[in-house]
Amino acid sequence: RKVLVEDFTGHKCGNCPDAAEALKQLESLYGEKIVAMGVHAGFFAEPNSGGLFTYDFRTTAGTELDQFFGNSNAGLPNGLINRKFYDTNPIVNYADWASKVNEIVNVPADAWITMTPDYNATTRGLSLDVNTKILNGMSDSLHLVVYLTEDSIVRPQADYSLPSPNQYIPEYVHRHVFRGSMNGTWGTPLTVGSSFT
Protein backbone atom coordinates (compact mmCIF):
# COMPACT_ATOMS: atom_id res chain seq x y z
CA ARG A 1 0.00 0.00 0.00
CA LYS A 2 1.10 3.53 -0.78
CA VAL A 3 0.02 6.36 1.52
CA LEU A 4 -0.52 9.79 -0.04
CA VAL A 5 0.49 12.61 2.31
CA GLU A 6 -0.58 16.00 0.97
CA ASP A 7 1.28 18.74 2.85
CA PHE A 8 -0.61 22.04 2.48
CA THR A 9 2.03 24.70 2.87
CA GLY A 10 3.31 28.12 1.84
CA HIS A 11 6.70 29.75 1.52
CA LYS A 12 5.62 32.55 3.89
CA CYS A 13 4.39 30.08 6.53
CA GLY A 14 7.00 30.10 9.28
CA ASN A 15 5.72 26.90 10.91
CA CYS A 16 5.61 24.96 7.65
CA PRO A 17 9.24 23.75 7.76
CA ASP A 18 8.21 21.70 10.82
CA ALA A 19 5.62 19.89 8.70
CA ALA A 20 8.18 19.30 5.95
CA GLU A 21 10.46 17.75 8.56
CA ALA A 22 7.63 15.50 9.79
CA LEU A 23 7.07 14.35 6.21
CA LYS A 24 10.79 13.70 5.76
CA GLN A 25 10.75 11.49 8.87
CA LEU A 26 7.81 9.51 7.45
CA GLU A 27 9.75 8.98 4.22
CA SER A 28 12.78 7.81 6.20
CA LEU A 29 10.64 5.37 8.16
CA TYR A 30 8.44 3.97 5.38
CA GLY A 31 10.46 4.62 2.21
CA GLU A 32 8.57 4.23 -1.05
CA LYS A 33 5.32 3.48 0.77
CA ILE A 34 4.95 7.27 1.23
CA VAL A 35 3.85 9.40 -1.71
CA ALA A 36 4.52 13.02 -0.69
CA MET A 37 3.06 16.13 -2.25
CA GLY A 38 3.59 19.74 -1.14
CA VAL A 39 0.54 21.82 -2.10
CA HIS A 40 1.30 25.55 -1.86
CA ALA A 41 -2.03 27.30 -1.37
CA GLY A 42 -3.78 30.09 0.46
CA PHE A 43 -2.48 33.34 1.95
CA PHE A 44 0.94 31.98 2.95
CA ALA A 45 1.58 30.84 -0.63
CA GLU A 46 0.79 34.19 -2.24
CA PRO A 47 3.89 35.77 -3.78
CA ASN A 48 5.00 39.29 -2.86
CA SER A 49 5.59 41.92 -5.55
CA GLY A 50 9.11 42.47 -4.24
CA GLY A 51 11.60 41.17 -1.70
CA LEU A 52 12.25 37.52 -0.90
CA PHE A 53 8.96 35.79 -1.62
CA THR A 54 8.29 36.68 -5.26
CA TYR A 55 8.20 33.10 -6.60
CA ASP A 56 4.72 31.70 -7.21
CA PHE A 57 4.40 28.02 -6.22
CA ARG A 58 0.62 28.02 -6.57
CA THR A 59 -1.31 26.02 -9.17
CA THR A 60 -4.91 26.09 -10.33
CA ALA A 61 -5.46 22.51 -9.17
CA GLY A 62 -3.77 23.20 -5.82
CA THR A 63 -6.06 26.16 -5.22
CA GLU A 64 -9.09 24.04 -6.11
CA LEU A 65 -7.98 21.33 -3.66
CA ASP A 66 -7.42 23.93 -0.94
CA GLN A 67 -10.83 25.50 -1.50
CA PHE A 68 -12.58 22.12 -1.49
CA PHE A 69 -10.93 20.71 1.64
CA GLY A 70 -10.43 24.05 3.44
CA ASN A 71 -6.82 23.47 4.45
CA SER A 72 -5.54 27.06 4.43
CA ASN A 73 -8.68 28.27 6.22
CA ALA A 74 -7.92 25.74 8.97
CA GLY A 75 -4.46 27.28 9.45
CA LEU A 76 -1.27 25.98 7.88
CA PRO A 77 0.60 23.69 8.11
CA ASN A 78 -1.69 20.70 7.87
CA GLY A 79 -2.46 17.98 5.40
CA LEU A 80 -4.48 15.07 4.14
CA ILE A 81 -3.65 11.38 4.60
CA ASN A 82 -5.07 9.38 1.66
CA ARG A 83 -7.92 11.93 1.78
CA LYS A 84 -9.38 9.82 4.57
CA PHE A 85 -11.89 11.48 6.86
CA TYR A 86 -11.35 11.43 10.62
CA ASP A 87 -14.46 12.40 12.61
CA THR A 88 -16.00 14.01 9.48
CA ASN A 89 -12.83 16.04 8.80
CA PRO A 90 -10.06 15.10 6.36
CA ILE A 91 -7.59 17.75 7.64
CA VAL A 92 -4.84 16.33 9.84
CA ASN A 93 -2.38 18.41 11.89
CA TYR A 94 1.19 17.56 10.90
CA ALA A 95 1.92 16.42 14.48
CA ASP A 96 -0.61 13.61 13.91
CA TRP A 97 0.58 12.48 10.47
CA ALA A 98 2.77 9.69 11.85
CA SER A 99 -0.01 8.07 13.85
CA LYS A 100 -2.52 8.30 10.98
CA VAL A 101 -0.04 6.85 8.48
CA ASN A 102 0.84 4.06 10.91
CA GLU A 103 -2.85 3.07 11.09
CA ILE A 104 -3.10 2.35 7.34
CA VAL A 105 0.37 1.81 5.88
CA ASN A 106 0.34 -1.98 6.40
CA VAL A 107 -3.28 -2.56 5.40
CA PRO A 108 -3.39 -4.63 2.18
CA ALA A 109 -3.80 -2.54 -0.96
CA ASP A 110 -7.19 -2.37 -2.72
CA ALA A 111 -5.74 -1.86 -6.19
CA TRP A 112 -2.51 -2.19 -8.14
CA ILE A 113 -1.48 0.66 -10.42
CA THR A 114 1.35 0.65 -12.94
CA MET A 115 2.47 3.70 -14.91
CA THR A 116 4.64 3.77 -18.02
CA PRO A 117 5.78 7.29 -18.99
CA ASP A 118 6.87 8.41 -22.45
CA TYR A 119 8.71 11.74 -22.62
CA ASN A 120 9.58 13.45 -25.89
CA ALA A 121 12.56 15.72 -25.28
CA THR A 122 12.06 17.58 -28.57
CA THR A 123 8.45 18.59 -27.94
CA ARG A 124 8.77 18.40 -24.14
CA GLY A 125 5.57 16.34 -24.24
CA LEU A 126 4.78 13.74 -21.62
CA SER A 127 2.29 10.92 -22.06
CA LEU A 128 1.50 8.24 -19.56
CA ASP A 129 0.03 4.77 -19.88
CA VAL A 130 -1.74 3.77 -16.65
CA ASN A 131 -3.05 0.29 -15.87
CA THR A 132 -5.00 -0.72 -12.80
CA LYS A 133 -6.00 -4.03 -11.27
CA ILE A 134 -8.58 -4.27 -8.50
CA LEU A 135 -7.33 -6.50 -5.68
CA ASN A 136 -10.26 -6.21 -3.24
CA GLY A 137 -13.93 -5.80 -4.02
CA MET A 138 -15.02 -2.15 -3.88
CA SER A 139 -18.28 -0.32 -4.49
CA ASP A 140 -16.88 3.22 -4.32
CA SER A 141 -17.04 5.81 -7.06
CA LEU A 142 -13.47 5.82 -8.29
CA HIS A 143 -11.41 8.39 -10.18
CA LEU A 144 -7.93 8.05 -11.58
CA VAL A 145 -5.93 11.28 -11.22
CA VAL A 146 -2.32 11.84 -12.25
CA TYR A 147 -0.53 14.65 -10.43
CA LEU A 148 2.91 16.02 -11.24
CA THR A 149 5.40 17.11 -8.59
CA GLU A 150 8.81 18.74 -8.81
CA ASP A 151 11.53 18.21 -6.26
CA SER A 152 14.35 20.34 -4.87
CA ILE A 153 13.26 23.85 -5.85
CA VAL A 154 15.58 26.26 -4.06
CA ARG A 155 13.71 29.39 -2.97
CA PRO A 156 13.31 31.36 0.30
CA GLN A 157 11.14 29.97 3.10
CA ALA A 158 9.95 31.63 6.29
CA ASP A 159 11.01 29.79 9.46
CA TYR A 160 9.82 31.01 12.87
CA SER A 161 12.35 28.83 14.68
CA LEU A 162 15.09 31.24 13.59
CA PRO A 163 15.91 34.36 15.64
CA SER A 164 14.35 37.70 14.71
CA PRO A 165 14.49 39.70 12.56
CA ASN A 166 15.68 37.27 9.86
CA GLN A 167 13.20 34.43 10.29
CA TYR A 168 13.71 32.91 6.87
CA ILE A 169 15.98 30.51 5.02
CA PRO A 170 17.13 32.16 1.76
CA GLU A 171 18.08 28.89 0.01
CA TYR A 172 15.48 26.48 1.36
CA VAL A 173 15.01 23.25 -0.60
CA HIS A 174 11.29 22.80 -1.34
CA ARG A 175 10.48 19.11 -1.81
CA HIS A 176 7.62 17.35 -3.63
CA VAL A 177 6.14 20.60 -4.97
CA PHE A 178 2.74 20.04 -6.60
CA ARG A 179 2.91 21.36 -10.18
CA GLY A 180 -0.43 20.29 -11.64
CA SER A 181 -2.52 17.45 -12.98
CA MET A 182 -2.36 15.60 -16.27
CA ASN A 183 -6.11 14.95 -16.27
CA GLY A 184 -7.76 17.65 -14.19
CA THR A 185 -7.97 18.35 -10.46
CA TRP A 186 -10.33 15.42 -9.81
CA GLY A 187 -9.12 13.08 -12.55
CA THR A 188 -10.98 10.70 -14.82
CA PRO A 189 -14.06 8.90 -13.45
CA LEU A 190 -13.65 5.14 -13.60
CA THR A 191 -17.10 4.39 -12.26
CA VAL A 192 -20.08 5.97 -10.58
CA GLY A 193 -21.92 3.67 -8.19
CA SER A 194 -20.58 0.50 -9.78
CA SER A 195 -18.97 -2.45 -8.04
CA PHE A 196 -15.47 -3.65 -8.79
CA THR A 197 -14.27 -7.19 -8.29
Side-chain angles (χ1 to χ4, degrees):
R1 175 174 293 273
K2 306 285 187 184
V3 179
L4 173 63
V5 181
E6 293 169 275
D7 174 13
F8 282 77
T9 188
H11 58 173
K12 296 189 294 187
C13 169
N15 293 318
C16 287
D18 291 338
E21 183 58 33
L23 186 50
K24 184 177 178 182
Q25 290 174 9
L26 286 171
E27 290 178 298
S28 296
L29 184 60
Y30 296 111
E32 292 185 359
K33 289 185 175 185
I34 300 297
V35 177
M37 188 166 78
V39 182
H40 291 251
F43 169 78
F44 289 113
E46 292 176 5
N48 292 345
S49 59
L52 288 174
F53 302 106
T54 57
Y55 190 77
D56 195 350
F57 287 95
R58 298 171 303 166
T59 63
T60 300
T63 299
E64 289 178 16
L65 292 172
D66 179 53
Q67 290 172 348
F68 182 83
F69 291 109
N71 293 81
S72 61
N73 285 338
L76 300 181
N78 62 51
L80 307 174
I81 308 295
N82 271 7
R83 296 192 182 167
K84 182 176 167 59
F85 280 69
Y86 301 91
D87 298 324
T88 71
N89 188 358
I91 299 172
V92 179
N93 184 287
Y94 73 92
D96 297 323
W97 289 353
S99 65
K100 300 303 183 192
V101 167
N102 188 53
E103 290 175 11
I104 59 176
V105 70
N106 292 314
V107 174
D110 294 313
W112 181 257
I113 300 173
T114 58
M115 295 181 284
T116 307
D118 183 24
Y119 178 69
N120 184 318
T122 304
T123 64
R124 298 182 67 206
L126 174 66
S127 62
L128 192 66
D129 183 54
V130 181
N131 290 286
T132 62
K133 180 179 181 180
I134 302 300
L135 303 176
N136 294 317
M138 292 184 283
S139 59
D140 298 324
S141 295
L142 302 177
H143 288 72
L144 176 68
V145 60
V146 180
Y147 292 146
L148 298 174
T149 63
E150 182 178 357
D151 200 57
S152 302
I153 300 173
V154 179
R155 295 284 189 222
Q157 171 67 50
D159 188 340
Y160 297 153
S161 70
L162 299 174
S164 291
N166 297 320
Q167 293 185 300
Y168 62 88
I169 301 169
E171 294 186 354
Y172 184 83
V173 179
H174 294 268
R175 308 278 323 274
H176 321 294
V177 177
F178 178 51
R179 288 308 213 180
S181 174
M182 290 184 73
N183 61 339
T185 303
W186 307 108
T188 304
L190 300 182
T191 178
V192 177
S194 300
S195 295
F196 282 96
T197 58

mmCIF file with all atom_site columns, all heavy atoms in Angstrom, residues 75-91:
data_model
loop_
_atom_site.group_PDB
_atom_site.id
_atom_site.type_symbol
_atom_site.label_atom_id
_atom_site.label_alt_id
_atom_site.label_comp_id
_atom_site.label_asym_id
_atom_site.label_entity_id
_atom_site.label_seq_id
_atom_site.pdbx_PDB_ins_code
_atom_site.Cartn_x
_atom_site.Cartn_y
_atom_site.Cartn_z
_atom_site.occupancy
_atom_site.B_iso_or_equiv
_atom_site.pdbx_formal_charge
_atom_site.auth_seq_id
_atom_site.auth_comp_id
_atom_site.auth_asym_id
_atom_site.auth_atom_id
_atom_site.pdbx_PDB_model_num
ATOM 1   N N   . GLY A 1 75 ? -5.749  26.850 8.914  1.00 0.00 ? 75 GLY A N   1
ATOM 2   C CA  . GLY A 1 75 ? -4.459  27.282 9.450  1.00 0.00 ? 75 GLY A CA  1
ATOM 3   C C   . GLY A 1 75 ? -3.338  26.330 9.079  1.00 0.00 ? 75 GLY A C   1
ATOM 4   O O   . GLY A 1 75 ? -3.354  25.162 9.472  1.00 0.00 ? 75 GLY A O   1
ATOM 5   N N   . LEU A 1 76 ? -2.395  26.814 8.308  1.00 0.00 ? 76 LEU A N   1
ATOM 6   C CA  . LEU A 1 76 ? -1.274  25.980 7.882  1.00 0.00 ? 76 LEU A CA  1
ATOM 7   C C   . LEU A 1 76 ? -0.205  25.931 8.964  1.00 0.00 ? 76 LEU A C   1
ATOM 8   O O   . LEU A 1 76 ? -0.096  26.858 9.764  1.00 0.00 ? 76 LEU A O   1
ATOM 9   C CB  . LEU A 1 76 ? -0.671  26.544 6.585  1.00 0.00 ? 76 LEU A CB  1
ATOM 10  C CG  . LEU A 1 76 ? -1.613  26.617 5.381  1.00 0.00 ? 76 LEU A CG  1
ATOM 11  C CD1 . LEU A 1 76 ? -0.872  27.177 4.182  1.00 0.00 ? 76 LEU A CD1 1
ATOM 12  C CD2 . LEU A 1 76 ? -2.215  25.276 5.049  1.00 0.00 ? 76 LEU A CD2 1
ATOM 13  N N   . PRO A 1 77 ? 0.592   24.851 9.003  1.00 0.00 ? 77 PRO A N   1
ATOM 14  C CA  . PRO A 1 77 ? 0.598   23.693 8.107  1.00 0.00 ? 77 PRO A CA  1
ATOM 15  C C   . PRO A 1 77 ? -0.370  22.609 8.572  1.00 0.00 ? 77 PRO A C   1
ATOM 16  O O   . PRO A 1 77 ? -0.627  22.451 9.750  1.00 0.00 ? 77 PRO A O   1
ATOM 17  C CB  . PRO A 1 77 ? 2.034   23.192 8.203  1.00 0.00 ? 77 PRO A CB  1
ATOM 18  C CG  . PRO A 1 77 ? 2.448   23.517 9.607  1.00 0.00 ? 77 PRO A CG  1
ATOM 19  C CD  . PRO A 1 77 ? 1.747   24.811 9.933  1.00 0.00 ? 77 PRO A CD  1
ATOM 20  N N   . ASN A 1 78 ? -0.882  21.876 7.606  1.00 0.00 ? 78 ASN A N   1
ATOM 21  C CA  . ASN A 1 78 ? -1.695  20.702 7.867  1.00 0.00 ? 78 ASN A CA  1
ATOM 22  C C   . ASN A 1 78 ? -1.699  19.864 6.606  1.00 0.00 ? 78 ASN A C   1
ATOM 23  O O   . ASN A 1 78 ? -1.014  20.198 5.646  1.00 0.00 ? 78 ASN A O   1
ATOM 24  C CB  . ASN A 1 78 ? -3.110  21.094 8.312  1.00 0.00 ? 78 ASN A CB  1
ATOM 25  C CG  . ASN A 1 78 ? -3.852  21.864 7.241  1.00 0.00 ? 78 ASN A CG  1
ATOM 26  O OD1 . ASN A 1 78 ? -3.925  21.453 6.094  1.00 0.00 ? 78 ASN A OD1 1
ATOM 27  N ND2 . ASN A 1 78 ? -4.414  23.014 7.621  1.00 0.00 ? 78 ASN A ND2 1
ATOM 28  N N   . GLY A 1 79 ? -2.457  18.794 6.602  1.00 0.00 ? 79 GLY A N   1
ATOM 29  C CA  . GLY A 1 79 ? -2.457  17.976 5.404  1.00 0.00 ? 79 GLY A CA  1
ATOM 30  C C   . GLY A 1 79 ? -3.582  16.975 5.371  1.00 0.00 ? 79 GLY A C   1
ATOM 31  O O   . GLY A 1 79 ? -4.467  16.951 6.231  1.00 0.00 ? 79 GLY A O   1
ATOM 32  N N   . LEU A 1 80 ? -3.531  16.143 4.345  1.00 0.00 ? 80 LEU A N   1
ATOM 33  C CA  . LEU A 1 80 ? -4.483  15.068 4.138  1.00 0.00 ? 80 LEU A CA  1
ATOM 34  C C   . LEU A 1 80 ? -3.706  13.759 4.070  1.00 0.00 ? 80 LEU A C   1
ATOM 35  O O   . LEU A 1 80 ? -2.617  13.713 3.480  1.00 0.00 ? 80 LEU A O   1
ATOM 36  C CB  . LEU A 1 80 ? -5.259  15.271 2.835  1.00 0.00 ? 80 LEU A CB  1
ATOM 37  C CG  . LEU A 1 80 ? -5.946  16.621 2.628  1.00 0.00 ? 80 LEU A CG  1
ATOM 38  C CD1 . LEU A 1 80 ? -6.547  16.689 1.227  1.00 0.00 ? 80 LEU A CD1 1
ATOM 39  C CD2 . LEU A 1 80 ? -7.013  16.854 3.678  1.00 0.00 ? 80 LEU A CD2 1
ATOM 40  N N   . ILE A 1 81 ? -4.258  12.712 4.653  1.00 0.00 ? 81 ILE A N   1
ATOM 41  C CA  . ILE A 1 81 ? -3.650  11.385 4.598  1.00 0.00 ? 81 ILE A CA  1
ATOM 42  C C   . ILE A 1 81 ? -4.595  10.491 3.805  1.00 0.00 ? 81 ILE A C   1
ATOM 43  O O   . ILE A 1 81 ? -5.657  10.100 4.296  1.00 0.00 ? 81 ILE A O   1
ATOM 44  C CB  . ILE A 1 81 ? -3.421  10.798 6.015  1.00 0.00 ? 81 ILE A CB  1
ATOM 45  C CG1 . ILE A 1 81 ? -2.666  11.783 6.910  1.00 0.00 ? 81 ILE A CG1 1
ATOM 46  C CG2 . ILE A 1 81 ? -2.739  9.445  5.934  1.00 0.00 ? 81 ILE A CG2 1
ATOM 47  C CD1 . ILE A 1 81 ? -1.254  12.089 6.477  1.00 0.00 ? 81 ILE A CD1 1
ATOM 48  N N   . ASN A 1 82 ? -4.228  10.181 2.565  1.00 0.00 ? 82 ASN A N   1
ATOM 49  C CA  . ASN A 1 82 ? -5.065  9.380  1.662  1.00 0.00 ? 82 ASN A CA  1
ATOM 50  C C   . ASN A 1 82 ? -6.473  9.952  1.528  1.00 0.00 ? 82 ASN A C   1
ATOM 51  O O   . ASN A 1 82 ? -7.408  9.234  1.214  1.00 0.00 ? 82 ASN A O   1
ATOM 52  C CB  . ASN A 1 82 ? -5.140  7.920  2.133  1.00 0.00 ? 82 ASN A CB  1
ATOM 53  C CG  . ASN A 1 82 ? -4.024  7.088  1.551  1.00 0.00 ? 82 ASN A CG  1
ATOM 54  O OD1 . ASN A 1 82 ? -3.116  7.590  0.911  1.00 0.00 ? 82 ASN A OD1 1
ATOM 55  N ND2 . ASN A 1 82 ? -4.076  5.793  1.793  1.00 0.00 ? 82 ASN A ND2 1
ATOM 56  N N   . ARG A 1 83 ? -6.618  11.241 1.826  1.00 0.00 ? 83 ARG A N   1
ATOM 57  C CA  . ARG A 1 83 ? -7.916  11.926 1.779  1.00 0.00 ? 83 ARG A CA  1
ATOM 58  C C   . ARG A 1 83 ? -8.974  11.185 2.603  1.00 0.00 ? 83 ARG A C   1
ATOM 59  O O   . ARG A 1 83 ? -10.152 11.208 2.295  1.00 0.00 ? 83 ARG A O   1
ATOM 60  C CB  . ARG A 1 83 ? -8.368  12.131 0.345  1.00 0.00 ? 83 ARG A CB  1
ATOM 61  C CG  . ARG A 1 83 ? -7.411  13.049 -0.403 1.00 0.00 ? 83 ARG A CG  1
ATOM 62  C CD  . ARG A 1 83 ? -7.929  13.531 -1.708 1.00 0.00 ? 83 ARG A CD  1
ATOM 63  N NE  . ARG A 1 83 ? -6.920  14.354 -2.353 1.00 0.00 ? 83 ARG A NE  1
ATOM 64  C CZ  . ARG A 1 83 ? -6.957  14.724 -3.605 1.00 0.00 ? 83 ARG A CZ  1
ATOM 65  N NH1 . ARG A 1 83 ? -7.963  14.365 -4.363 1.00 0.00 ? 83 ARG A NH1 1
ATOM 66  N NH2 . ARG A 1 83 ? -5.999  15.463 -4.116 1.00 0.00 ? 83 ARG A NH2 1
ATOM 67  N N   . LYS A 1 84 ? -8.511  10.545 3.643  1.00 0.00 ? 84 LYS A N   1
ATOM 68  C CA  . LYS A 1 84 ? -9.379  9.816  4.571  1.00 0.00 ? 84 LYS A CA  1
ATOM 69  C C   . LYS A 1 84 ? -9.977  10.801 5.574  1.00 0.00 ? 84 LYS A C   1
ATOM 70  O O   . LYS A 1 84 ? -9.293  11.708 6.018  1.00 0.00 ? 84 LYS A O   1
ATOM 71  C CB  . LYS A 1 84 ? -8.537  8.754  5.282  1.00 0.00 ? 84 LYS A CB  1
ATOM 72  C CG  . LYS A 1 84 ? -9.282  7.868  6.244  1.00 0.00 ? 84 LYS A CG  1
ATOM 73  C CD  . LYS A 1 84 ? -8.312  6.809  6.776  1.00 0.00 ? 84 LYS A CD  1
ATOM 74  C CE  . LYS A 1 84 ? -8.838  6.074  7.967  1.00 0.00 ? 84 LYS A CE  1
ATOM 75  N NZ  . LYS A 1 84 ? -10.078 5.380  7.758  1.00 0.00 ? 84 LYS A NZ  1
ATOM 76  N N   . PHE A 1 85 ? -11.229 10.603 5.901  1.00 0.00 ? 85 PHE A N   1
ATOM 77  C CA  . PHE A 1 85 ? -11.893 11.479 6.858  1.00 0.00 ? 85 PHE A CA  1
ATOM 78  C C   . PHE A 1 85 ? -11.760 10.908 8.271  1.00 0.00 ? 85 PHE A C   1
ATOM 79  O O   . PHE A 1 85 ? -11.923 9.710  8.489  1.00 0.00 ? 85 PHE A O   1
ATOM 80  C CB  . PHE A 1 85 ? -13.379 11.645 6.510  1.00 0.00 ? 85 PHE A CB  1
ATOM 81  C CG  . PHE A 1 85 ? -13.612 12.634 5.407  1.00 0.00 ? 85 PHE A CG  1
ATOM 82  C CD1 . PHE A 1 85 ? -13.228 12.354 4.102  1.00 0.00 ? 85 PHE A CD1 1
ATOM 83  C CD2 . PHE A 1 85 ? -14.212 13.852 5.667  1.00 0.00 ? 85 PHE A CD2 1
ATOM 84  C CE1 . PHE A 1 85 ? -13.441 13.270 3.085  1.00 0.00 ? 85 PHE A CE1 1
ATOM 85  C CE2 . PHE A 1 85 ? -14.435 14.773 4.655  1.00 0.00 ? 85 PHE A CE2 1
ATOM 86  C CZ  . PHE A 1 85 ? -14.041 14.481 3.365  1.00 0.00 ? 85 PHE A CZ  1
ATOM 87  N N   . TYR A 1 86 ? -11.442 11.780 9.216  1.00 0.00 ? 86 TYR A N   1
ATOM 88  C CA  . TYR A 1 86 ? -11.347 11.428 10.623 1.00 0.00 ? 86 TYR A CA  1
ATOM 89  C C   . TYR A 1 86 ? -12.367 12.286 11.360 1.00 0.00 ? 86 TYR A C   1
ATOM 90  O O   . TYR A 1 86 ? -12.227 13.509 11.400 1.00 0.00 ? 86 TYR A O   1
ATOM 91  C CB  . TYR A 1 86 ? -9.937  11.708 11.157 1.00 0.00 ? 86 TYR A CB  1
ATOM 92  C CG  . TYR A 1 86 ? -8.866  10.937 10.421 1.00 0.00 ? 86 TYR A CG  1
ATOM 93  C CD1 . TYR A 1 86 ? -8.222  11.488 9.309  1.00 0.00 ? 86 TYR A CD1 1
ATOM 94  C CD2 . TYR A 1 86 ? -8.514  9.653  10.810 1.00 0.00 ? 86 TYR A CD2 1
ATOM 95  C CE1 . TYR A 1 86 ? -7.253  10.779 8.619  1.00 0.00 ? 86 TYR A CE1 1
ATOM 96  C CE2 . TYR A 1 86 ? -7.544  8.935  10.133 1.00 0.00 ? 86 TYR A CE2 1
ATOM 97  C CZ  . TYR A 1 86 ? -6.921  9.499  9.037  1.00 0.00 ? 86 TYR A CZ  1
ATOM 98  O OH  . TYR A 1 86 ? -5.958  8.797  8.347  1.00 0.00 ? 86 TYR A OH  1
ATOM 99  N N   . ASP A 1 87 ? -13.400 11.653 11.922 1.00 0.00 ? 87 ASP A N   1
ATOM 100 C CA  . ASP A 1 87 ? -14.463 12.401 12.607 1.00 0.00 ? 87 ASP A CA  1
ATOM 101 C C   . ASP A 1 87 ? -15.040 13.488 11.710 1.00 0.00 ? 87 ASP A C   1
ATOM 102 O O   . ASP A 1 87 ? -15.122 14.654 12.088 1.00 0.00 ? 87 ASP A O   1
ATOM 103 C CB  . ASP A 1 87 ? -13.953 13.014 13.919 1.00 0.00 ? 87 ASP A CB  1
ATOM 104 C CG  . ASP A 1 87 ? -13.499 11.946 14.912 1.00 0.00 ? 87 ASP A CG  1
ATOM 105 O OD1 . ASP A 1 87 ? -14.129 10.877 14.943 1.00 0.00 ? 87 ASP A OD1 1
ATOM 106 O OD2 . ASP A 1 87 ? -12.525 12.199 15.634 1.00 0.00 ? 87 ASP A OD2 1
ATOM 107 N N   . THR A 1 88 ? -15.389 13.142 10.502 1.00 0.00 ? 88 THR A N   1
ATOM 108 C CA  . THR A 1 88 ? -15.997 14.012 9.483  1.00 0.00 ? 88 THR A CA  1
ATOM 109 C C   . THR A 1 88 ? -15.051 15.077 8.923  1.00 0.00 ? 88 THR A C   1
ATOM 110 O O   . THR A 1 88 ? -15.473 15.948 8.197  1.00 0.00 ? 88 THR A O   1
ATOM 111 C CB  . THR A 1 88 ? -17.292 14.705 9.989  1.00 0.00 ? 88 THR A CB  1
ATOM 112 O OG1 . THR A 1 88 ? -16.951 15.711 10.951 1.00 0.00 ? 88 THR A OG1 1
ATOM 113 C CG2 . THR A 1 88 ? -18.271 13.706 10.595 1.00 0.00 ? 88 THR A CG2 1
ATOM 114 N N   . ASN A 1 89 ? -13.776 15.031 9.269  1.00 0.00 ? 89 ASN A N   1
ATOM 115 C CA  . ASN A 1 89 ? -12.830 16.042 8.804  1.00 0.00 ? 89 ASN A CA  1
ATOM 116 C C   . ASN A 1 89 ? -11.600 15.359 8.199  1.00 0.00 ? 89 ASN A C   1
ATOM 117 O O   . ASN A 1 89 ? -10.966 14.530 8.849  1.00 0.00 ? 89 ASN A O   1
ATOM 118 C CB  . ASN A 1 89 ? -12.402 16.925 9.987  1.00 0.00 ? 89 ASN A CB  1
ATOM 119 C CG  . ASN A 1 89 ? -11.566 18.105 9.555  1.00 0.00 ? 89 ASN A CG  1
ATOM 120 O OD1 . ASN A 1 89 ? -11.252 18.269 8.376  1.00 0.00 ? 89 ASN A OD1 1
ATOM 121 N ND2 . ASN A 1 89 ? -11.199 18.934 10.501 1.00 0.00 ? 89 ASN A ND2 1
ATOM 122 N N   . PRO A 1 90 ? -11.240 15.716 6.963  1.00 0.00 ? 90 PRO A N   1
ATOM 123 C CA  . PRO A 1 90 ? -10.058 15.100 6.360  1.00 0.00 ? 90 PRO A CA  1
ATOM 124 C C   . PRO A 1 90 ? -8.739  15.780 6.749  1.00 0.00 ? 90 PRO A C   1
ATOM 125 O O   . PRO A 1 90 ? -7.665  15.229 6.519  1.00 0.00 ? 90 PRO A O   1
ATOM 126 C CB  . PRO A 1 90 ? -10.307 15.266 4.861  1.00 0.00 ? 90 PRO A CB  1
ATOM 127 C CG  . PRO A 1 90 ? -11.053 16.570 4.782  1.00 0.00 ? 90 PRO A CG  1
ATOM 128 C CD  . PRO A 1 90 ? -11.936 16.600 6.021  1.00 0.00 ? 90 PRO A CD  1
ATOM 129 N N   . ILE A 1 91 ? -8.799  16.982 7.345  1.00 0.00 ? 91 ILE A N   1
ATOM 130 C CA  . ILE A 1 91 ? -7.588  17.754 7.637  1.00 0.00 ? 91 ILE A CA  1
ATOM 131 C C   . ILE A 1 91 ? -6.915  17.205 8.890  1.00 0.00 ? 91 ILE A C   1
ATOM 132 O O   . ILE A 1 91 ? -7.536  17.050 9.929  1.00 0.00 ? 91 ILE A O   1
ATOM 133 C CB  . ILE A 1 91 ? -7.917  19.253 7.804  1.00 0.00 ? 91 ILE A CB  1
ATOM 134 C CG1 . ILE A 1 91 ? -8.530  19.805 6.510  1.00 0.00 ? 91 ILE A CG1 1
ATOM 135 C CG2 . ILE A 1 91 ? -6.672  20.038 8.196  1.00 0.00 ? 91 ILE A CG2 1
ATOM 136 C CD1 . ILE A 1 91 ? -9.059  21.213 6.629  1.00 0.00 ? 91 ILE A CD1 1
#
